[in-house]
Amino acid sequence: MLVEFTVKNYRSIKDAQTLSLVKSNKNELEDSNSFALNDKNNIELLRSAAIYGPNAAGKTNFIKALMTMRKIVVDPPSLEENLPVTPFIFNENYSNSPSEFEVIFIVDDVRYQYGFAATNSYITEEWLIAFPKGSPQRWFSRVYDIENDSSDYKIGSFLSGRKAIWKDSTRNNALFLTVASQLNSEQLKPIYRWFKSKLKLSNINGWGPGYTASQCSKEGEVKSLVIELLKSADFNIHDVEVEKEPIDPKKFPKDLPLQLREKIINEATENNIYEIKKVNIVHKTSEEKLVGLDLLDESDGTQKMFSLAGPWLDILKNGHILVIDELNDNLHPKLVRYLIDLFHNSETNPKNAQLVFTTHDTTILNQEIFRRDQVWFCERNNDLSTDMYPLTDFSPRKGNRENLAQSYLSGRYGALPFLKDFEINWGD
């Protein structure tokens, strides 16, 4: 579960900005929109959070920050590559300083606080604190020494294993967490797997249709659920037909080593993996006839909903964390609410999957859908930096006594575009 994420000095984010999914002491919608962890963590979390704000205020950069953190953990750069960090460039004190990322999360009933700071060239700091019994244990920390071009490590006794080998194997532009996990640290593997498998991120382009198509390429429960989800969302879809063909070695890069080429082909054959050639969406006409239409000929909304269906169901089934930019893009407001409601329902979300998303859709900004602690805003300051803050800072009145959308659009909460009069004189 995601508890909190903090980022500092990254793109438009200058000072530290934090998103928290910790439930406040308010009791609104607590049965549907929040959940309690029945363990030593003694914490209650939210099932979703919505982030509002004008264009160019930094909403997407906040999502990109979490993407960047995950990428550095899961897909570290080679020795010659730079780290994918971009500091705040509109202030010299920040543009020459490292970017910082920290996340608090829970895996297997253990709470962790993990973070690092990095420039393009090296990891300047890295730290991990674990709370296996409620009280903090500092498992390791490191600080880069620029004069000696090396890192000074402090590894606690709580972390067991081949610590000297892990330390010596960690390059200056790689994370100790990643290296130790890949070298079989049983204590650190669950943390690495959380980043790799539990944390799902999507930018404004969303997912392509590939995953959903692969799930529909074979008959079974998953395909039936995808079709049922699309039907219940009022898409006139009777069936999904997927045309597939064996993987064609001719499409492989010419410089792909022969051994790797043969391995891919053998694994595809053994695991019955095919290349998706075409996806047909089958509709039933008023005359009860079945007509297939290429997915690419469907509306943008249908294509996006189809692409979302497979991953959405997988995330709900397995209790993953989904962070998605511009959820409302190409979707009707009622569809957006429909997708959110799947997270706010214990039957469709039995493992407490969490959803964090940015949006401009104010039709869902009301207290029938969200608790007040689930709504966040992004605003651009005069120095072009991003400021992120929760709706609860304004102490809005509970329930129908305050129209959140109306208050937001009227400027009470800030985070709106500042529009000026625009005059044009075309002359003759």
Side-chain angles (χ1 to χ4, degrees):
M1 286 80 175
L2 177 62
V3 178
E4 185 176 287
F5 174 60
T6 300
V7 57
K8 177 182 178 182
N9 193 29
Y10 176 82
R11 299 177 73 89
S12 67
I13 300 168
K14 185 181 72 170
D15 299 316
Q17 303 297 319
T18 299
L19 173 75
S20 174
L21 288 178
V22 177
K23 173 186 171 291
S24 69
N25 58 5
K26 308 300 181 184
N27 60 5
E28 58 210 82
L29 301 175
E30 59 182 354
D31 291 337
S32 57
N33 292 28
S34 65
F35 60 96
L37 297 175
N38 299 318
D39 54 31
K40 52 186 169 290
N41 288 286
N42 191 28
I43 189 173
E44 292 181 277
L45 297 176
L46 300 168
R47 285 192 166 126
S48 72
I51 305 173
Y52 285 86
N55 297 104
K59 301 187 305 299
T60 296
N61 287 337
F62 193 83
I63 304 297
K64 284 182 177 179
L66 193 51
M67 287 180 170
T68 297
M69 185 180 194
R70 180 186 182 277
K71 180 176 177 58
I72 294 174
V73 172
V74 174
D75 186 21
S78 66
L79 182 61
E80 297 79 16
E81 290 179 316
N82 287 331
L83 289 156
V85 296
T86 304
F88 183 75
I89 64 173
F90 299 110
N91 184 305
E92 288 186 3
N93 293 329
Y94 287 82
S95 60
N96 297 316
S97 299
S99 301
E100 298 181 23
F101 310 86
E102 183 182 77
V103 64
I104 300 174
F105 57 101
I106 296 172
V107 179
D108 298 331
D109 297 336
V110 178
R111 178 159 52 100
Y112 297 97
Q113 182 176 342
Y114 172 71
F116 59 85
T119 66
N120 286 133
S121 304
Y122 46 80
I123 304 295
T124 61
E125 291 184 71
E126 185 182 4
W127 59 91
L128 174 64
I129 302 171
F131 301 78
K133 297 180 180 179
S135 56
Q137 298 177 357
R138 184 171 288 276
W139 283 11
F140 70 82
S141 63
R142 67 190 270 211
V143 178
Y144 181 73
D145 183 351
I146 192 169
E147 291 184 2
N148 298 317
D149 190 29
S150 62
S151 293
D152 177 29
Y153 284 85
K154 292 182 179 179
I155 303 179
S157 59
F158 298 105
L159 183 64
S160 60
R162 300 182 297 173
K163 292 179 271 191
I165 294 177
W166 301 338
K167 185 177 69 173
D168 293 340
S169 301
T170 304
R171 302 188 310 271
N172 290 335
N173 69 339
L175 296 169
F176 180 80
L177 169 69
T178 304
V179 173
S181 299
Q182 293 174 342
L183 294 178
N184 296 319
S185 168
E186 294 302 323
Q187 287 173 280
L188 297 181
K189 276 183 180 179
I191 302 171
Y192 175 82
R193 285 196 295 264
W194 184 86
F195 280 98
K196 184 175 182 179
S197 303
K198 298 294 288 185
L199 185 60
K200 307 291 184 180
L201 299 118
S202 175
N203 59 26
I204 191 171
N205 297 320
W207 294 283
Y211 182 80
T212 305
S214 67
Q215 298 300 299
C216 293
S217 65
K218 47 189 179 291
E219 298 296 329
E221 181 186 16
V222 178
K223 178 182 178 179
S224 299
L225 285 173
V226 168
I227 295 173
E228 187 59 34
L229 174 63
L230 294 171
K231 282 183 177 179
S232 61
D234 197 29
F235 287 88
N236 178 28
I237 293 176
H238 178 76
D239 197 4
V240 177
E241 296 176 345
V242 179
E243 297 181 22
K244 53 188 181 180
E245 59 186 9
I247 293 177
D248 186 0
K250 295 179 181 179
K251 297 181 180 179
F252 291 169
K254 293 181 179 180
D255 57 350
L256 189 69
L258 180 61
Q259 186 176 2
L260 181 57
R261 181 189 300 260
E262 292 177 350
K263 181 181 178 181
I264 294 174
I265 295 173
N266 291 335
E267 288 184 356
T269 303
E270 291 174 5
N271 297 301
N272 198 29
I273 298 174
Y274 292 87
E275 181 179 353
I276 303 298
K277 184 179 179 181
K278 184 179 179 183
V279 178
N280 284 321
I281 304 298
V282 180
H283 301 270
K284 181 179 284 188
T285 69
S286 58
E287 291 135 354
E288 298 295 312
K289 292 183 179 180
L290 301 180
V291 178
L293 187 63
D294 192 317
L295 177 63
L296 298 177
D297 293 326
E298 296 279 357
S299 69
D300 290 343
T302 300
Q303 291 184 46
K304 179 169 184 177
M305 191 65 185
F306 178 85
S307 298
L308 282 174
W312 212 267
L313 290 169
D314 178 70
I315 288 162
L316 288 167
K317 178 182 178 182
N318 295 291
H320 296 323
I321 300 102
L322 171 60
V323 183
I324 185 168
D325 196 19
E326 301 289 10
L327 175 59
N328 61 292
D329 187 48
N330 287 326
L331 291 180
H332 190 278
K334 284 198 171 184
L335 277 179
V336 176
R337 175 170 182 171
Y338 178 81
L339 290 171
I340 295 168
D341 285 345
L342 294 176
F343 278 81
H344 293 171
N345 186 322
S346 296
E347 293 185 2
T348 53
N349 186 12
K351 295 187 178 180
N352 296 316
Q354 293 170 289
L355 170 67
V356 176
F357 66 98
T358 69
T359 184
H360 294 288
D361 184 359
T362 57
T363 65
I364 58 171
L365 183 53
N366 68 71
Q367 296 186 59
E368 292 181 358
I369 301 175
F370 294 113
R371 294 167 48 90
R372 288 168 289 177
D373 51 8
Q374 290 179 276
V375 179
W376 291 74
F377 300 105
C378 268
E379 188 170 59
R380 184 177 66 249
N381 297 317
N382 291 333
D383 63 356
L384 304 181
S385 66
T386 294
D387 189 20
M388 191 169 181
Y389 50 91
L391 171 64
T392 50
D393 281 358
F394 299 88
S395 302
R397 290 170 294 175
K398 182 180 178 181
N400 295 328
R401 288 182 293 172
E402 180 160 342
N403 185 316
L404 298 184
Q406 186 177 27
S407 295
Y408 170 52
L409 294 175
S410 68
R412 182 184 173 197
Y413 312 137
L416 287 174
F418 181 67
L419 306 177
K420 301 178 181 179
D421 291 337
F422 179 59
E423 297 180 2
I424 302 179
N425 185 358
W426 294 114
D428 294 337

